[in-house]
Amino acid sequence: MSSPRRWPRSSGKRALLAGAAIALFCTAHGHAQTKTIPDGPKEVLRARPPAAAKPAAPKPVADGLQPDEMYMEADEVIREDKSGVTTANGNVEVRYNGRTLRADKLVYDDASGVVRGYGHIVIVNADGTTEYATEIVLDDQLKAGVALGFSARLQQNVKIAAANASKRNENIQELNHAIYTPCEICAKDGSAKTPTWSIAADRVIRDQKKRIVYYRNARFRLFGVPIAYLPIFWNADPKSPRNSGFLVPKGSVSDRRGLSYEQPYYWVISPSMDAIISPQFNTKIAPFLNAEVRKRFYSGEVDVRFGFTHAPDFDGKGREVHGTSTDRSYILGRGAFQIDDKWRWGFTAERASDDLIFDKYEVSKVYESRGPYVADDRRLISQLYAIRQDQRSYLSVAAMTIQGLRPGAVDPVTGFSSGENDRVFPVIGPLIEGHYEPAGTVLGGRLRVNTSGVVLAREQSPTNLAARLPGLDSARVTGELDWRRAFISESGLRFEPFVNLRADAYQLHDILTGVGSATRSQNTERGLATAGVDVSYPFFKRTSDATIVLEPLAQVVASPNAKQIVIGRDATGAPVYLNEDSVAFEFDETTLFRPNKFPGYDLYEDGARLNVAGRASVLWDDGRRANILLGRSFRTQQNLVFSDRTGLRTKASDWIVAADAQPMKGLTMFARARLDSDTFQVERLEAGLNTYNKYGNGFVRYLKDNVDINGVRQENLDVGGEVYVTKNYGVSLYGNRDLNRDAWVIRDVGVFYRDDCIRLDVIYRREDTILGRLVPSESVSVRLTLATLGGALNGR
């Protein structure tokens, strides 16, 4: 036998990490050490490819080695020339085809191509995942083998440990007596700690090709306590961005549905299509099926949510009302597609079979934006639209319908709620809006060309539902030129003259005469013009740590008397104006300096007026800030086109006050109010604050409106937040109080636990709102969110 060759230790830093199971994982991380070793020769070995392997085209490797080239370094390398066995001792590191293996001792047999490793074994794969073992046997590709005392750290910080593991090939890995967890398993002092949640199994198979982890005799543990057992279970591989499997269930107990359990299942139908099927099982009422289907196309995507059940109606206590079973369903769909770099089109489809279906089955995220046009709260909108936009122009064409879900009073005889009559909502289509801004300046200023057109059709008039009179139909076409130019003097005076010219053409049908059901038609054309100037002059003052800005603002506007569209008279003989698009109008700091304060086209502000305000700001260098604005509008004569609730009918308008501040980090406040012009009584007030710090977060919202757009008084308070009692435990609170009735609408009180891999909420809710036949109810729900199982901690 030839004598062995002994080489000096090579240079570099070595990290020796050990891991045999979850209890030894932390020990591995605490075992790291660093050595400085003199430079010495290193040996490069060219491994013999397997006989069955086909030569592949060379690929660049991050470590600079060529394919099938092995790099080895160690404190000592012994090569037996006769037997072809190479033994490396001490701080061994091998790099091969993108993988790095470290161990205390490594034995490589040229004849068999088998690599054996011993002590503190670490394998770093090309994708960044890391595997540990106390003893390992691998093939010459470092892909297949067997390991004892195995553990691994995968993507998303997932940890897997097992008594032993075998790797059949690059894709299939089997573990015996294994445990899976994404939670922290190491205390700050380096000792092992029980993970918040884990899955222990007799056998685990990780199939990286199918991207699934299978479990045999799986036992779910929460804080180390077994809570569930499944003979067979699977979840998506942490390396997989998406894969079929069960998501975290939802559970609750309530007066309406009894004990409720909802189990979502995520189904990957194709690389471009998936679905979530979420049946809801209830003890008091029939089951309800929720589902969502998503599909991506080369030019866009479609997302459709829907729900269905066949069951009788029920009241707020889960009791059947009128026992006839019928189909009950909803759909909430959207689609958006890009035709080219300028054109896009899309749609929304929103409908429900009854007004209270979302409340009865606790369907979330209903009243949110799915397209460019948004309906009011408790109303659904279905729309079809196309939009073209470039740097100079914008064009949109749309059509839409609206469904109202606001329930009315319950008939004591039939038990049915009147609700909203959808026949009084107009069918809108087409609705066309266009804007164009020519390049360059016109008379030294900016010119915009605006066009608009709309057709509205109603089946029934809202003024007399019992008579079922035909509803008002209308069509409008508008063209507009808007010019503005800015001048700024050396002293800082800003002077902005502007001119607006507009022409409208209306065609009206089914205008009620007030006598029986007689109707009439009307065609109207009108020209409108506005000219004015904006003036502002900011004053700056610098203190030691802040900047103070005082800015007076003024706007002078004049318009000839506008031809308003009159469609009738009320009981007092006052004119009733056509107003389809300016109903939801508030006079506040955002509308104070609009030349035409009406947001739509049907109503127009005319006459001469002066809008003035003063604004003061303090900006501290450390990020704190405070702003306040005070203003009002003056007119040469009354304008009775404005409603009483706006505060704009008299010559001197109501006062507008708006303020916001950030007095310290983590605290912001705001308030906006409208005060009566004579008595300074608060007509409308919105105020609130947001706060966050290491102890929790919270918000407060207050709203008071003496007369809202529906003609009723509103006053309510919204409060909510979380308080962190300890690092992991906390209390959550939410409440909405109707101050008009001096009663709570909703009250939530919850406790939660949270850490890096779990959030568990237990929430008690009491709803005191009477929605149709849904009387006040109480419920307790449990929300569990697990990292890597059914989504991240913030949920879907």
Side-chain angles (χ1 to χ4, degrees), residues 356-673:
L356 301 174
I357 190 170
F358 301 115
D359 305 278
K360 293 173 181 176
Y361 298 99
E362 291 191 7
V363 180
S364 61
K365 299 181 181 179
V366 175
Y367 308 106
E368 59 182 26
S369 173
R370 294 181 178 85
Y373 299 95
V374 183
D376 293 338
D377 190 33
R378 297 197 68 86
R379 285 174 180 167
L380 303 179
I381 182 170
S382 298
Q383 58 191 293
L384 178 66
Y385 63 89
I387 297 174
R388 185 191 185 279
Q389 185 172 9
D390 58 27
Q391 292 183 343
R392 291 291 173 185
S393 64
Y394 173 88
L395 174 67
S396 70
V397 181
M400 65 199 74
T401 63
I402 298 172
Q403 179 186 13
L405 300 182
R406 297 176 181 175
V410 177
D411 189 299
V413 178
T414 64
F416 286 103
S417 170
S418 57
E420 292 186 300
N421 184 352
D422 295 335
R423 295 165 64 88
V424 307
F425 292 118
V427 175
I428 305 170
L431 171 61
I432 302 173
E433 294 180 293
H435 310 283
Y436 173 68
E437 185 172 327
T441 61
V442 176
L443 299 178
R446 180 267 299 154
L447 177 67
R448 286 179 181 165
V449 181
N450 303 317
T451 59
S452 174
V454 66
V455 176
L456 307 177
R458 284 186 179 84
E459 295 183 15
Q460 188 172 332
S461 170
T463 58
N464 192 334
L465 298 178
R468 297 185 179 275
L469 299 177
L472 175 67
D473 301 331
S474 65
R476 173 186 53 80
V477 177
T478 295
E480 181 180 33
L481 295 176
D482 185 78
W483 177 87
R484 179 179 288 264
R485 183 176 180 181
F487 298 91
I488 303 177
S489 70
E490 294 182 358
S491 62
L493 175 65
R494 186 178 183 88
F495 183 80
E496 288 192 23
F498 57 85
V499 176
N500 181 278
L501 302 175
R502 203 178 97 188
D504 298 333
Y506 281 86
Q507 187 179 75
L508 308 178
H509 296 286
D510 295 334
I511 303 174
L512 298 179
T513 63
V515 181
S517 59
T519 63
R520 62 184 175 86
S521 299
Q522 175 180 328
N523 294 334
T524 301
E525 297 81 27
R526 65 181 180 181
L528 305 166
T530 297
V533 62
D534 288 329
V535 182
S536 63
Y537 193 14
F539 297 89
F540 297 85
K541 178 177 178 58
R542 177 67 187 174
T543 66
S544 60
D545 63 344
T547 300
I548 301 174
V549 183
L550 301 177
E551 186 177 15
L553 305 165
Q555 181 185 71
V556 180
V557 190
S559 305
N561 290 336
K563 184 179 180 181
Q564 309 290 351
I565 312 298
V566 179
I567 59 174
R569 299 278 173 177
D570 62 15
T572 65
V576 176
Y577 300 105
L578 176 69
N579 183 14
E580 299 280 12
D581 52 16
S582 297
V583 177
F585 166 64
E586 295 293 346
F587 178 43
D588 56 24
E589 77 279 9
T590 65
T591 57
L592 174 61
F593 289 100
R594 282 185 184 171
N596 172 28
K597 292 182 173 57
F598 291 109
Y601 290 90
D602 294 339
L603 300 180
Y604 196 82
E605 184 180 11
D606 55 11
R609 57 266 190 201
L610 170 66
N611 304 312
V612 295
R615 180 163 53 201
S617 303
V618 182
L619 307 174
W620 283 271
D621 297 341
D622 58 6
R624 292 177 296 154
R625 59 178 173 78
N627 304 279
I628 187 171
L629 179 143
L630 176 66
R632 69 189 307 195
S633 179
F634 298 92
R635 308 182 57 83
T636 57
Q637 59 184 1
Q638 292 183 338
N639 191 333
L640 301 181
V641 178
F642 290 103
S643 64
D644 284 330
R645 64 172 298 272
T646 61
L648 282 165
R649 302 192 89 182
T650 57
K651 291 183 178 181
S653 74
D654 287 351
W655 290 90
I656 296 299
V657 182
D660 66 88
Q662 184 176 348
M664 64 180 67
K665 183 179 179 180
L667 176 64
T668 59
M669 301 180 292
F670 74 91
R672 59 175 61 93

Side-chain angles (χ1 to χ4, degrees), residues 757-775:
C757 65
I758 189 175
R759 172 145 181 155
L760 176 63
D761 291 82
V762 180
I763 301 172
Y764 165 81
R765 165 170 286 196
R766 177 172 176 83
E767 297 182 52
D768 294 311
T769 308
I770 299 178
L771 291 174
R773 66 174 61 91
L774 294 185
V775 296

